[in-house]
Each structure stands twice: as C-alpha cells, then as structure tokens.
Amino acid sequence: MSGGGSNLRALLEAAATADYPARVVAVGSDRPDAGGLDVAAEFGIPTFTVALEDFGNRADWGDELLSQIEQWRPDLTVLSGFMRLLPPAVVGALSPDLINTHPAYLPEFPGARGVRDALAAGATETGASLIVVDNGVDSGPVIAQERVAVLPGDTETTLHDRIKPVERRLLIDAVRAIALGTLDLKELARS
Ligand code: GAR
C-alpha cells in the first residue's frame, strides 16, 4: 500500500467481523507516511515499511520487501493503492496469490493514472477491476470488474470517489471467495 488506505480500511473492517473467513496478518508500505499505516495501527495490525529510497536498486528493495512479506506467511498478498511496479522476483514468488485493485475497467486505462486517463480520453464509462498481479502493468488475469459511469462534470476526485466503493466491494467479495476456496487464483492464472 502506498496511499490513504480506504480499501485497506474496508478490508480490515470486513475482516474484523466474526463471519468473515479471512484475517489480515500484517500491512506493508513503500512509504513511511502512507495513511494506511495509521489505519492498520488503529486496528492493531502489525506494519512494516520498505522504502525504495533506502536501497541502491530495485532488486534489493524487492528482496527486502519479499522477506518482510514472507515473515508473515500470508496465504494472499493484496496490493491496494500500491503505486510502484514490483520487481519480477517478488511477483515470481507471490503470484498468483498476489492481487491488486485498479480504478478502471482493465485492460482500459492501466497504470498509475487510471481515473485521470479515462477522463482525458472522454470515456462515458470506466470501472473498477481486481486482478492477479503479473510482470506487466495491470495486465494480469481479471478476477472481477464492474462498470462505473462517467457523469457530466466529473472531476478526477468525484469519479474516483464513485469508483472506490466498487473496488472495495470487489476486493472484499473476492478475498472472501478465495478464503472459502470458491475462487481459485491458480486455476484463474492458468486459464
Ligand atoms: C485505489 O483506487 C486503487 O485502486 C488505486 O489507488 C487507489 C488507492 O486508494 N491503485 C492504483 O491506481 C494502482 N495502479 P486508497 O489508498 O484510498 O485505498
């Protein structure tokens, strides 16, 4: 997670309910100032930060990030608002049990500015996607996605604010299905 952590908060709220079948074991960030770290602390979830700036190269950063993640032995790693590409060694070790939310209807508008790019293209609809992370930019298998209309007068903020609740629902539903075994990421990634 790199950012404010509204998707993270939604997942932590879901995971705190007795009938939700998944638990969050740790929250990691590439930025010490990411708001999501405070959200995790609020829920009593351990956190770690591995900042790229503290390493000489991306491969070493990725190795430390992977080692921090693996310490927690997660069944699933969720990227949420993580705004950097992961080094291939990290993707190779974790995928397909590595998923990411994206504020557009992939393969439309991949990359760091999905909402802005949809507006700039004059799209009348965009969406939210949940994907398995592969080594491309938002190019992995789609787990779930849903359309969101672009309304006249929409700004990046108003449009993103309507996309985010859809992202949250897709994420919470998919994590539930993965935990229950009704959604098999390995099978999805093979097909
Ligand atoms: C979310 O819309 C997420 O899909 C997006 O950043 C936002 C983070 O919001 N991620 C990307 O654009 C990744 N390319 P949050 O920090 O409030 O959860």
Side-chain angles (χ1 to χ4, degrees):
M1 174 265 312
S2 306
S6 67
N7 282 337
L8 170 67
R9 178 181 289 281
L11 186 60
L12 290 173
E13 280 172 357
T17 61
D19 61 345
Y20 196 74
R23 293 287 174 263
V24 177
V25 291
V27 170
S29 174
D30 66 320
R31 290 177 35 186
D33 60 345
L37 292 171
D38 298 330
V39 176
E42 212 182 288
F43 283 79
I45 307 292
T47 62
F48 59 88
T49 299
V50 185
L52 178 58
E53 297 72 31
D54 294 340
F55 293 82
N57 59 71
R58 287 175 42 78
D60 288 350
W61 167 68
D63 289 348
E64 176 59 20
L65 192 57
L66 181 60
S67 123
Q68 293 278 345
I69 293 169
E70 285 184 330
Q71 276 184 34
W72 295 98
R73 302 189 174 278
D75 298 313
L76 179 71
T77 303
V78 178
L79 304 185
S80 187
F82 192 74
M83 302 310 271
R84 294 187 190 279
L85 278 184
L86 287 171
V90 181
V91 175
L94 299 176
S95 187
D97 301 314
L98 176 65
I99 67 177
N100 190 18
T101 60
H102 184 74
Y105 198 89
L106 292 168
E108 300 167 6
F109 312 115
R113 290 175 299 274
V115 181
R116 194 183 310 171
D117 290 349
L119 277 175
T124 55
E125 55 178 11
T126 180
S129 302
L130 184 71
I131 60 168
V132 173
V133 177
D134 69 5
N135 278 311
V137 177
D138 300 321
S139 57
V142 173
I143 300 165
Q145 59 187 167
E146 201 172 301
R147 285 291 184 186
V148 174
V150 180
L151 301 180
D154 253 343
T155 62
E156 191 175 342
T157 305
T158 60
L159 180 55
H160 205 166
D161 282 350
R162 283 204 318 285
I163 292 172
K164 277 188 174 187
V166 181
E167 285 188 65
R168 285 176 212 144
R169 179 160 42 74
L170 297 181
L171 176 65
I172 288 164
D173 287 352
V175 171
R176 180 191 294 109
I178 292 163
L180 292 176
T182 54
L183 171 59
D184 183 343
L185 294 178
K186 290 185 179 60
E187 194 179 305
L188 181 76
R190 266 198 307 271
S191 58

